[in-house]
């Protein structure tokens, strides 16, 4: 039996590389549904920091800074 697994991707842009720094922007892709949520209309991020997201169970991948 093949399972059709899907996942959610949450991209958090922090003020600095410190995982405790404030989230300043974010984007969400929800692969579990056909309709994509709009994060453009949200005024506050879903988490205050990357550490807060980790505490809720999100897995973290840190990308290099883009200059």
């Amino acid at each position: 039996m093949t399972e059709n697994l899907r996942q959610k991707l949450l991209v958090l842009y922090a003020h600095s590389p410190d995982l405790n720094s404030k989230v300043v922007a974010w984007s969400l892709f929800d692969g579990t549904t056909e309709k994509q949520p709009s994060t453009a209309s949200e005024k506050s991020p879903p988490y205050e920091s990357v550490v807060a997201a980790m505490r809720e169970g999100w897995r973290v991948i840190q990308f290099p800074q883009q200059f």
Side-chain angles (χ1 to χ4, degrees):
M1 175 194 261
T2 302
E3 290 185 47
N4 194 4
L5 300 176
R6 299 224 172 17
Q7 62 186 350
K8 293 180 181 181
L9 300 174
L10 174 63
V11 180
L12 299 175
Y13 300 90
H15 184 262
S16 75
D18 180 0
L19 298 179
N20 285 301
S21 68
K22 183 178 177 181
V23 170
V24 295
W26 67 98
S27 161
L28 175 68
F29 174 78
D30 188 347
T32 65
T33 182
E34 294 295 321
K35 184 179 177 190
Q36 290 302 309
S38 172
T39 56
S41 62
E42 296 179 23
K43 296 198 185 307
S44 61
Y47 299 99
E48 291 297 316
S49 69
V50 175
V51 171
M54 292 169 63
R55 288 186 181 128
E56 290 287 317
W58 287 94
R59 294 180 181 157
V60 173
I61 298 173
Q62 188 171 18
F63 297 101
Q65 285 184 294
Q66 300 295 314
F67 294 104

